[in-house]
Amino acid sequence: MAANPKKHPPRLPPARRSRLVPAGAALLVLAAGGVAALRFLPSPADDPGRPAPEYEPVRFTDVTDAAGITFRHCNAAAGDKLLPETMGSGVAVLDYDGDGRPDLFFVNGRPWPGQLDHPGGKATQALYRNRGGGRFEDVTAAAGLAVELYGMGAAVGDVDGDGRPDLFVTAVGGNRLFRNVGGRRFEEVTTTAGFPEPVAWTGSYADFLRRDTPLSFPSSATFVDYDGDGRPDLFVCNYVAWSPAFDLGVPATLAGGLRAYVPPQQFAGTHCELWHNLGGGRFEDVSAAAGVRVSDPRGPDGTPTPVGKTLGVVVCDADGDGWPDLVVANDTVRNFFFRNRPAPSGGRLFVEEGLSAGLAYADGRPRGGMGIDAAEVLPGDLAVLVANFSNEPNSLFRRLRADPPRFADAAPEVGLAGASRYPMKFGAVFLDADLDGRPDLFTCNGHLEPDIARAVPTQTYAQPGQLFRNTGRSDRLFAPVGGDPFAPMVGRGCAVLDFDDDGDLDLVVTSNGGPARLYRNDTPPANRSLRLTLAGGGLGAEVEVSAGGAVQRQFVAGARGYLSQGEGVVTFGLGPAGGADRVAVRWPGGERQEWADLEAGAYRLTRGRSQAEPAH
């Protein structure tokens, strides 16, 4: 394949001096206090009587083979149709060796106990090092990650403060924490860090199928410094209470008598987890004290029962108070909104306010929520996107006010509902694909049932991803991009990165039981970008860019979407503008710092340092 013809924006001199500003300058009806009417602020250029503007085409090119990526996911499906086989897996972007180029970590499953090895050999996790020039090399074994586990998702964070990104991998039967050693390799430190020891993966397949003791079944995870102590804590989503014996004991059939995968309604819920970073590489489970265990009274005795069937989480500052909040996507039960509040005894905790905030339900009932992301879809207009099950449209919860936070689903009004209803959506990410200064939306799609066409002839197992362009018009905010730029696949996780260092955003997508795909953004380079790396990762910071008469904001979060995490660089599309008039960072803790007259390009911003340094 020919090399990318686009030219990289020139690296320009460091920016002007900054200034520091002191801190402080099941059908349920919505609860009372919900919002009765939608009132959204229009875009400054919005004119409902004007036709939608014309745009340059958005183009993505599959460069997987040319990039040297050969990863293929193993889901261990052998006909018994065990629920975890439908769910994985994710991908994480990290610069593990510190060379300034984003590398790729693919989460893999493995055969169930007693099954034969994967046809391609042992199914292990996979790490691909970015060599530059659009090429990757498989360094899994050398990096110590040739590990077999039934993986689901991944999160990246510097857990020990040594400046190197570490890896947390969620897996059926027990999660793993891998510490980055010198940017060369990883070592597992799961139990020494305080996490539970994973279950032993031994015995015959028949014995495994008879197991009735539930196995842990986590999904997404994200690092978040919820208490502002400068150390990344860890939030872990858990899906359902699952065991092979219970799964096989539930009758589930398709047309023709074929066994079907059992839906989540048949399984009990679980609790999310919050792990506090104690320092020194140690974590402590503070889930109960920190308020992330959500229960409902069930049955005549009122026994509290876990509510969550959680698949996705995104960190954002929904109330604008400078503290990270969490929005959680649940499957067939209400979504959660964990608002970060002061604890009565000091410190911080989360208060679950999904119902009162309008984030629990889209239309008065739960949907099959999977992937989730958040962004300002118009200046000052924060929205949370939840990717839902097939025949359920995406939910786009737009914020009506910040204090207290109130949201309402605006998907029908902004052009998302109809176009997103048909496919089964998993991964979901906002990205400015054309660098016009407005976040577009990508969802990674694919059914969970290989035999779905027997039951629903209009459905397919493999489905193409969908890209929605942000028009900037509040009445028709999102428009589907035609031309089928993404091939059908059983899509699951997806993440954003600039792997070829040309200033625009590319996509990596995973497939359940199939190959991953790398898509290079080949949109005509009419617009430019500002790419900002915050020293220390900047987890929990808010970045504001003023350019071309518009103001954009992004909250620096960890993992997002579904089981996945994109690159840590914050990218702002500038449109035709040659740079930004002003860049402001509100660091965790409230300190504000500004830089003036940054030209288009890539920079590194360091807290307290007046110069913005070129990133390369």
Side-chain angles (χ1 to χ4, degrees):
M1 181 171 293
N4 188 351
K6 295 187 294 179
K7 301 297 183 183
H8 191 287
R11 296 302 180 196
L12 297 161
R16 315 306 188 257
R17 299 184 65 82
S18 71
R19 64 180 184 271
L20 294 173
V21 182
L27 181 68
L28 295 175
V29 179
L30 286 174
V35 178
L38 303 181
R39 296 188 63 192
F40 302 121
L41 293 175
S43 166
D46 195 31
D47 180 359
R50 187 182 60 189
E54 296 292 327
Y55 298 101
E56 290 286 342
V58 177
R59 298 174 184 162
F60 283 87
T61 304
D62 186 340
V63 295
T64 312
D65 295 340
I69 295 173
T70 60
F71 173 78
R72 186 178 184 91
H73 175 251
C74 168
N75 62 9
D80 293 300
K81 293 200 169 179
L82 303 174
L83 182 59
E85 297 167 358
T86 70
M87 306 307 295
S89 64
V91 58
V93 182
L94 72 163
D95 180 9
Y96 87 98
D97 54 0
D99 66 355
R101 294 188 290 261
D103 310 304
L104 293 172
F105 175 76
F106 294 100
V107 183
N108 207 354
R110 58 154 297 167
W112 296 119
Q115 284 185 331
L116 297 176
D117 282 343
H118 190 54
K122 287 190 179 296
T124 72
Q125 313 315 294
L127 179 65
Y128 283 80
R129 178 177 176 267
N130 189 335
R131 297 169 48 193
R135 295 284 300 176
F136 289 80
E137 63 176 331
D138 188 339
V139 294
T140 308
L145 291 171
V147 179
E148 287 187 292
L149 52 96
Y150 204 97
M152 285 288 159
V156 178
D158 181 7
V159 302
D160 51 8
D162 67 351
R164 302 283 186 181
D166 307 302
L167 270 171
F168 184 81
V169 182
T170 63
V172 174
N175 303 319
R176 307 292 201 283
L177 177 63
F178 297 96
R179 177 177 173 265
N180 188 326
V181 181
R184 301 182 304 275
R185 60 183 179 86
F186 290 84
E187 64 177 8
E188 186 183 342
V189 293
T190 306
T191 56
T192 57
F195 295 103
E197 184 172 358
V199 299
W201 210 259
T202 59
S204 70
Y205 184 51
D207 287 341
F208 175 72
L209 295 181
R210 287 192 290 267
R211 180 189 175 105
D212 57 6
T213 302
L215 286 162
S216 61
F217 190 171
S219 52
S220 297
T222 187
F223 285 100
V224 54
D225 181 9
Y226 82 98
D227 57 353
D229 65 359
R231 297 187 294 263
D233 311 299
L234 181 67
F235 182 88
V236 181
C237 303
N238 288 304
Y239 189 30
V240 295
W242 178 82
S243 72
F246 182 87
D247 194 335
L248 292 174
V250 178
T253 57
L254 294 168
L258 290 175
R259 177 167 170 80
Y261 283 105
V262 177
Q265 293 94 326
Q266 300 297 322
F267 299 90
T270 58
H271 286 307
C272 300
E273 300 171 17
L274 183 65
W275 293 82
H276 180 229
N277 190 331
L278 301 173
R282 296 279 300 174
F283 286 79
E284 177 187 16
D285 187 351
V286 296
S287 306
V292 302
R293 290 176 172 264
V294 182
S295 299
D296 277 347
R298 299 286 176 90
D301 60 353
T303 302
T305 303
V307 174
K309 299 181 180 182
T310 305
L311 290 175
V313 59
V314 66
V315 181
C316 61
D317 184 6
D319 54 8
D321 66 353
W323 291 93
D325 308 306
L326 301 168
V327 188
V328 166
N330 279 313
D331 190 2
T332 71
V333 298
R334 70 178 190 265
N335 300 321
F336 298 151
F337 169 48
F338 292 114
R339 190 179 180 195
N340 194 323
R341 306 294 291 162
S345 58
R348 308 292 298 187
L349 53 71
F350 288 104
V351 179
E352 204 287 293
E353 299 181 359
L355 282 168
S356 62
L359 288 162
Y361 305 116
D363 52 5
R365 60 182 178 181
R367 290 178 175 174
M370 300 182 198
I372 187 169
D373 201 1
E376 285 198 354
V377 293
L378 291 172
D381 188 355
L382 178 67
V384 176
L385 186 285
V386 178
N388 294 312
F389 200 81
S390 62
N391 205 33
E392 294 179 342
N394 290 326
S395 305
L396 186 75
F397 297 101
R398 294 175 79 177
R399 186 176 62 187
L400 309 178
R401 68 186 185 200
D403 188 18
R406 294 292 184 268
F407 291 78
D409 182 28
E413 289 82 5
V414 300
L416 273 181
S420 69
R421 178 177 292 275
Y422 168 82
M424 183 173 291
K425 290 79 62 182
F426 278 87
V429 288
F430 286 109
L431 73 158
D432 189 352
D434 52 3
L435 301 179
D436 65 354
R438 298 186 293 265
D440 310 301
L441 170 66
F442 174 77
T443 63
C444 186
N445 308 327
H447 213 279
L448 58 81
E449 179 56 72
D451 302 307
I452 187 59
R454 290 176 174 264
V456 185
T458 57
Q459 278 282 350
T460 59
Y461 186 41
Q463 300 173 358
Q466 288 182 300
L467 182 65
F468 294 87
R469 195 163 203 162
N470 187 325
T471 68
R473 297 169 52 87
S474 61
D475 60 330
R476 288 176 283 176
L477 186 59
F478 286 99
V481 173
D484 296 326
F486 305 102
M489 62 189 299
V490 188
R492 292 297 182 262
C494 58
V496 176
L497 73 161
D498 178 14
F499 79 91
D500 53 358
D501 198 29
D502 65 353
D504 61 19
L505 294 174
D506 313 301
L507 281 165
V508 58
V509 184
T510 68
S511 176
N512 181 265
R517 313 304 300 175
L518 179 64
Y519 286 98
R520 187 182 66 205
N521 189 336
D522 287 334
T523 301
N527 298 323
R528 306 186 72 185
S529 68
L530 189 68
R531 288 175 49 79
L532 304 174
T533 300
L534 274 60
L539 194 67
E542 184 180 71
V543 185
E544 181 179 289
V545 168
S546 301
V551 178
Q552 303 176 54
R553 296 179 188 86
Q554 291 188 42
F555 189 80
V556 182
R560 60 205 320 157
Y562 178 74
L563 307 178
S564 300
Q565 180 162 338
E567 65 179 359
V569 182
V570 183
T571 300
F572 290 89
L574 299 176
D581 303 317
R582 182 179 59 87
V583 172
V585 175
R586 185 187 67 191
W587 297 98
E591 183 182 55
R592 185 178 173 90
Q593 187 173 359
E594 295 186 3
W595 294 261
D597 302 324
L598 282 176
E599 300 187 59
Y603 298 89
R604 180 181 176 87
L605 306 181
T606 302
R607 191 170 189 167
R609 185 173 297 177
S610 60
Q611 295 288 331
E613 304 162 343
H616 299 287

